[in-house]
Amino acid sequence: MREYDPDVPVIMVTAIHDISTALEAIRRGAYDYILKPFEKDQLFLGVGRALQQSPLDFRKQELSTELGTVGLKNGRHS
């Protein structure tokens, strides 16, 4: 998924009830981790939060890149 678009939030849905698996998924960039069986509202809320967060993350990355470019033009490193 990340190969096609690294900004797409990923929600891992699994039946594996293991905290180390959940932590590894989050460490590797998963936005959320949902255990099966789940209520559909739980999935809808997770997707909704991920979609609301994505534009903010994108803008933050965009501003960071702009600031880094300005810093390099002024002889500073970010």
Side-chain angles (χ1 to χ4, degrees):
M1 197 65 189
R2 297 264 182 218
E3 291 177 19
Y4 297 107
D5 188 345
D7 296 325
V8 171
V10 173
I11 298 175
M12 184 169 175
V13 179
T14 182
I16 300 172
H17 291 253
D18 179 40
I19 191 69
S20 62
T21 303
L23 291 173
E24 182 67 15
I26 300 298
R27 188 182 70 74
R28 290 178 176 247
Y31 178 80
D32 201 355
Y33 186 91
I34 298 176
L35 294 172
K36 292 179 184 178
F38 58 87
E39 299 291 325
K40 67 180 177 182
D41 289 343
Q42 183 182 5
L43 181 61
F44 290 148
L45 285 172
V47 170
R49 282 192 310 264
L51 292 174
Q52 288 174 355
Q53 187 69 29
S54 286
L56 295 176
D57 287 340
F58 178 75
R59 183 66 180 142
K60 183 172 70 174
Q61 181 180 2
E62 191 176 64
L63 289 172
S64 177
T65 301
E66 287 176 19
L67 287 173
T69 303
V70 168
L72 290 175
K73 286 180 183 176
N74 293 329
R76 294 184 218 128
H77 300 302
S78 54

